[in-house]
Amino acid sequence: MKTTTLASRLLDVIEHDILPLTTKGVATGNKVFGAAILRKSDLSLVIAETNNELENPLWHGEVHTLKRFYEMGEKLNTKDLIFLSTHEPCTMCMSAITWAGFDNFYSFFSHEDSRDAFAIPHDLKILKEVFGLEPGGYRRNNAFWNSYFIADLVDSEAEPARAQLKAQTDRIKAIYNSLSDTYQSSKTDNDIPLN
């Protein structure tokens, strides 16, 4: 029987809950960013969503997930929840996560990955131009929340789980690379302001 750790559960949610939604979203012209909310108590999924910037340029994966979370009507205390982001949140999304009262978020890809691997540099440009911050210049641990990279959780796992999680990580990255190629080849046809 497989023991579920936080790292394995977060990777499973990305692979099986967020990625299918993102695949559909990218096929219509949206970006590759997605998010999910899980309960801390049992790691059960509350909601998963993906980027929906074609409907509204503010519906980044994280903000769209928060919008849908509040539309559910279920009043859950965000201090009892985990916020999962496929890509390190931009400043707007970090602010939304903060205003919603989450005390954490976990990211799979970094801002640098968004810029370098996905050719979407806007997060780092906004950090630099608006806030005067270099990559990673914001406080990942602060009075509002603590943020974590899933890769660090995977690295802290014991073998053989670590090797299995690294294989899953590679599989997820390959899918995102393919989705990024699809997005990049079609982005001139959409009307997202910062594509």
Side-chain angles (χ1 to χ4, degrees):
M1 183 174 155
K2 178 183 173 186
T3 302
T4 300
T5 64
L6 181 56
S8 67
R9 180 62 179 141
L10 296 179
L11 289 175
D12 283 348
V13 168
I14 291 171
E15 186 171 22
H16 303 296
D17 297 295
I18 299 172
L19 265 171
L21 298 170
T22 301
T23 299
K24 290 177 188 173
V26 168
T28 65
N30 284 295
K31 290 190 183 99
V32 297
F33 308 119
I37 297 171
L38 296 85
R39 288 177 179 84
K40 287 181 182 177
S41 61
D42 61 3
L43 302 181
S44 62
L45 181 66
V46 175
I47 192 165
E49 262 305 336
T50 193
N51 184 289
N52 195 13
E53 286 181 87
L54 289 175
E55 180 182 313
N56 180 329
L58 301 181
W59 295 160
H60 290 196
E62 298 89 341
V63 174
H64 192 241
T65 300
L66 288 168
K67 171 190 175 291
R68 300 281 305 190
F69 170 70
Y70 285 105
E71 288 173 349
M72 290 171 46
E74 191 175 352
K75 298 294 183 196
L76 299 174
N77 185 336
T78 54
K79 300 290 187 226
D80 297 330
L81 303 172
I82 293 169
F83 198 94
L84 169 60
S85 182
T86 59
H87 295 70
E88 188 174 9
C90 72
T91 51
M92 177 182 73
C93 293
M94 276 189 238
S95 293
I97 292 165
T98 305
W99 280 105
F102 284 86
D103 63 9
N104 69 83
F105 65 83
Y106 292 80
S107 306
F108 186 73
F109 293 106
S110 69
H111 285 157
E112 292 86 355
D113 292 326
S114 294
R115 178 192 63 203
D116 302 339
F118 298 99
I120 302 174
H122 312 302
D123 300 340
L124 291 177
K125 282 184 178 177
I126 291 169
L127 272 173
K128 180 69 173 175
E129 292 299 320
V130 177
F131 299 100
L133 297 174
E134 296 299 329
Y138 71 92
R139 292 186 185 98
R140 287 191 167 90
N141 300 294
N142 56 65
F144 298 102
W145 39 255
N146 295 306
S147 65
Y148 311 92
F149 285 108
I150 296 170
D152 295 334
L153 296 178
V154 169
D155 286 341
S156 71
E157 293 282 341
E159 293 296 353
R162 183 183 317 130
Q164 294 166 346
L165 294 175
K166 284 185 182 264
Q168 185 176 17
T169 295
D170 291 343
R171 187 169 62 244
I172 291 169
K173 285 182 178 181
I175 296 167
Y176 272 105
N177 287 338
S178 176
L179 289 172
S180 178
D181 291 344
T182 300
Y183 171 74
Q184 290 298 326
S185 68
S186 68
K187 73 180 183 180
T188 56
D189 298 333
N190 71 34
D191 129 29
I192 297 171
L194 293 176
N195 63 17

